[in-house]
Amino acid sequence: MSAGLSEVSRIVDDALGVYADDAASVEVLESFRARLREPLRLAVAGIVKAGKSTLLNALIGERIAPTDAGECTRTITWYRYGSTARVDLRLHDGRRISRPVRRHEGRLVLDMGGYTAEEVAWIDVAWPSESLRSTVLIDTPGIASLSVENSVRSTDFFIPRDTPTAADAIIYLLRHVHAEDLKFLEAFRDTAAGESQTVNALAALSRADEIGSGRIDSLLSAAKIADRYRRDGELRALALDVVPVAGLLAEGGRTLRESEFIALRHIALMDRAARDRLLLTVDRFTRATDDTALSVDVRRGLLRRFGLFGVRLAAALIRGGATTSSALSDRLVQQSGLVEVQRFVDDQFRGRAFALKARGILGSVERLVRERPRPNTAGLLASIERLTAQSHDLRELSLLAELRTAPPALDADTLAEAERIVGGAGLSPVRRLGLGDDAPPSAQRERIDHLLAHWRSLAESPLTDRHTADLCRGVVRSVEGAASGLLTADAGEAGDGRVAASDAVLSGGPAA
Ligand SMILES: Nc1nc2c(ncn2[C@@H]2O[C@H](COP(=O)(O)OP(=O)(O)OP(=O)(O)O)[C@@H](O)[C@H]2O)c(=O)[nH]1
Ligand SMILES: [Mg+2]
């Protein structure tokens, strides 16, 4: 079975009954009710100037979050869907202060109206952007910033214990694998009742266009580096995947204006020698010159929006056939790596949104009970244990984390297969089975039979220790899940109108 909304809500309600006289616990528990019903909460985090706010804008598809070099994100800011724009400061003392919505060159001006960063717990931005309907995006101050308090605030956010601001999943931006980055990810990993949070984290090698000094093949170099981290770096135990991303290209692509396209086309159509001269360095690009009719201001604007790499790439894409602004926009987004980030978020985070929430909330309730013991909590702990054991969605998250951080003594291919089967490469049956997206049902069935036989025999072998056997049984259960997904899909094709199992997996999940 899957953990459903009603089961998890009942546990939260039972806990509210037990802790009714403890205002702080009541507040935290009440916040879990809201969290269960909300879309996935996805935080973007990382060191100062890693490109967090820029990537967040690219994900939203609008330039809302302030990003200019001079400003840094000082306070945790939530961006969530609202039919009208609204900005509220949420103070530590519980007050909610409404602020006027002001924009400068499109971006929000997050003016705190005299309140200090110490007083403001977070800023709550409601915004009428479609992409926020399915995800709440959370921008965070850079860690290891010059200001110690900023770092502390951000770290608190991910080691929040039971503050209402906890995220369900995180995209961690790193420019290089750097000691601070790893320390930060490790802190995040250790939060949930000592269990790994690996399953919540995607690492992104950010500002990928700057790798290899902005040469046109920079994105390829970034992809190679990401691949190396993915395979053998320490990151494997800390994040489910590592992808390269150039947020500035993604943001520029998603918010490209016609006037910018015309200026970029102008550059693309220049005589080759003159174009090469102009695009050689930032200095050349912004200098007064007779080579181009574009004003210095327009060129500076392009540089701010796309970077020199972005301008070079856009010119190459236009010459390669992207002859309208919408074609260029699509190509820039494709090149930026944003599509891979979005696909990962859909597959791994949104696809498991309810399980991720349930896991976090059940862990927090359990911790509350252990930290503030009461005489009548045995039933509560038993319910949590029962639900965790019975819910295969939750079990899969634990298995995945275990395979990543403390793998059993099985050979590398078998471990990789186990990881894929429990959903490490995507939740659809074909992904789990390690088949191509267009594999016919007969091939899927054949593979299921083979995997069931293999993993059952491993589980039952006298050479397999108890712990590993338990893991193998979990894997068998996931293969069975894929099989029932296939059967139900067959029935759906036959026209009996039943819902495909893959849609039912997160039954009760608000954000499935
Ligand atoms: N070349 C390049 N520059 C980028 C990219 N992403 C962000 N930048 C630039 O890097 C600077 C910092 O970007 P932000 O998005 O504000 O970074 P941040 O991580 O939110 O910064 P803080 O909130 O201050 O920690 C800005 O000048 C961006 O234009 C990228 O993919 N490529
Ligand atoms: Mg920022």
Side-chain angles (χ1 to χ4, degrees):
M1 67 168 257
S2 330
L5 181 60
S6 56
E7 284 96 347
V8 182
S9 297
R10 198 171 314 124
I11 286 174
V12 172
D13 288 347
D14 289 352
L16 272 165
V18 172
Y19 290 95
D21 57 348
D22 172 352
S25 300
V26 167
E27 191 192 332
V28 168
L29 290 164
E30 292 281 6
S31 77
F32 291 158
R33 282 192 175 153
R35 183 169 168 189
L36 275 171
R37 288 183 164 78
E38 261 174 15
L40 179 82
R41 292 181 186 172
L42 177 63
V44 182
I47 56 166
V48 172
K49 302 281 171 249
K52 301 176 291 293
S53 304
T54 304
L55 180 66
L56 182 131
N57 286 333
L59 288 165
I60 297 177
E62 272 191 67
R63 296 168 75 204
I64 315 178
T67 59
D68 282 304
E71 306 169 58
C72 71
T73 314
R74 280 175 306 225
T75 312
I76 292 161
T77 311
W78 286 41
Y79 296 88
R80 49 171 147 194
Y81 182 80
S83 51
T84 51
R86 191 188 156 105
V87 177
D88 288 322
L89 306 182
R90 306 292 294 258
L91 305 190
H92 283 295
D93 66 14
R95 277 183 296 155
R96 183 183 189 129
I97 310 287
S98 182
R99 298 295 307 151
V101 178
R102 282 203 296 124
R103 297 180 84 172
H104 177 68
E105 293 180 353
R107 301 187 192 285
L108 266 183
V109 179
L110 296 175
D111 148 27
M112 310 235 282
Y115 291 95
T116 63
E118 285 64 40
E119 289 169 291
V120 178
W122 48 290
I123 302 176
D124 193 3
V125 176
W127 204 257
S129 183
E130 278 309 304
S131 50
L132 292 172
R133 281 187 191 270
S134 58
T135 317
V136 175
L137 283 167
I138 304 173
D139 199 4
T140 66
I143 55 146
S145 61
L146 293 175
S147 144
V148 174
E149 310 88 80
N150 272 3
S151 307
V152 168
R153 259 199 302 283
S154 222
T155 315
D156 271 358
F157 175 73
F158 293 105
I159 314 170
R161 296 306 175 198
D162 303 315
T163 65
T165 46
D168 299 316
I170 179 177
I171 301 179
Y172 183 70
L173 297 194
L174 25 104
R175 294 180 66 183
H176 307 282
V177 174
H178 163 304
E180 285 303 327
D181 288 326
L182 290 179
K183 213 162 66 195
F184 178 82
L185 270 179
E186 262 160 16
F188 183 61
R189 181 179 69 169
D190 291 339
T191 51
E195 274 196 64
S196 164
Q197 291 283 64
T198 311
V199 293
N200 300 24
L202 169 66
L205 192 60
S206 70
R207 302 177 66 159
D209 54 304
E210 293 176 327
I211 290 170
S213 338
R215 283 194 315 273
I216 204 81
D217 61 355
S218 291
L219 298 177
L220 284 177
S221 313
K224 280 188 199 141
I225 296 173
D227 199 44
R228 212 163 54 226
Y229 288 155
R230 180 184 303 130
R231 274 181 287 120
D232 58 20
E234 288 169 82
L235 276 175
R236 237 192 88 75
L238 301 174
L240 272 185
D241 204 353
V242 189
V243 294
V245 70
L248 196 62
L249 292 184
E251 187 199 56
R254 286 206 69 186
T255 59
L256 181 67
R257 290 190 292 260
E258 196 62 31
S259 59
E260 291 168 337
F261 172 72
I262 291 168
L264 291 165
R265 189 177 55 193
H266 186 89
I267 295 170
L269 298 179
M270 280 169 73
D271 157 74
R272 171 149 191 202
R275 188 177 63 234
D276 286 352
R277 270 199 305 278
L278 185 70
L279 294 177
L280 199 59
T281 60
V282 166
D283 186 47
R284 289 279 187 100
F285 188 68
T286 49
R287 199 187 280 177
T289 167
D290 293 333
D291 278 340
T292 169
L294 294 178
S295 72
V296 169
D297 270 358
V298 166
R299 281 178 271 145
R300 286 217 177 100
L302 290 178
L303 202 61
R304 266 199 307 278
R305 285 274 285 146
F306 305 95
L308 190 59
F309 176 90
V311 174
R312 285 185 194 136
L313 179 66
L317 292 171
I318 293 170
R319 286 200 308 281
T323 52
T324 61
S325 60
S326 77
L328 179 62
S329 161
D330 287 351
R331 298 290 300 278
L332 284 173
V333 169
Q334 264 167 27
Q335 295 277 329
S336 72
L338 183 71
V339 178
E340 284 70 26
V341 171
Q342 286 170 321
R343 190 176 304 140
F344 185 93
V345 168
D346 278 346
D347 268 11
Q348 290 293 347
F349 295 157
R350 211 170 285 128
R352 295 187 200 269
F354 189 69
L356 288 172
K357 281 176 189 294
R359 180 177 191 253
I361 289 170
L362 294 176
S364 295
V365 174
E366 194 174 338
R367 205 161 42 238
L368 174 71
V369 172
R370 298 205 191 284
E371 281 169 11
R372 303 184 184 196
R374 293 285 170 93
N376 46 347
T377 48
L380 195 55
L381 286 179
S383 310
I384 293 175
E385 199 182 321
R386 196 165 49 241
L387 184 58
T388 309
Q390 285 173 350
S391 159
H392 190 63
D393 294 346
L394 291 177
R395 175 102 176 89
E396 274 193 340
L397 287 176
S398 304
L399 288 174
L400 194 51
E402 189 183 323
L403 285 161
R404 282 289 175 138
T405 53
L410 295 168
D411 68 73
D413 286 348
T414 309
L415 286 174
E417 185 174 272
E419 203 178 301
R420 214 172 40 234
I421 292 171
V422 300
L427 302 184
S428 68
V430 278
R431 285 287 170 87
R432 290 171 183 271
L433 299 174
L435 297 172
D437 284 343
D438 50 3
S442 56
Q444 295 185 46
R445 250 176 245 115
E446 200 175 301
R447 183 104 184 106
I448 285 166
D449 291 343
H450 164 79
L451 289 174
L452 282 176
H454 175 66
W455 285 94
R456 277 186 185 134
S457 76
L458 257 182
E460 283 154 21
S461 161
L463 298 176
T464 304
D465 65 74
R466 253 184 59 201
H467 179 73
T468 308
D470 197 37
L471 182 134
C472 295
R473 278 191 291 275
V475 172
V476 167
R477 174 72 191 77
S478 289
V479 180
E480 288 166 353
S484 74
L486 183 64
L487 284 179
T488 325
D490 282 356
E493 271 165 31
D496 76 350
R498 271 190 286 162
V499 181
S502 55
D503 295 332
V505 167
L506 294 168
S507 55

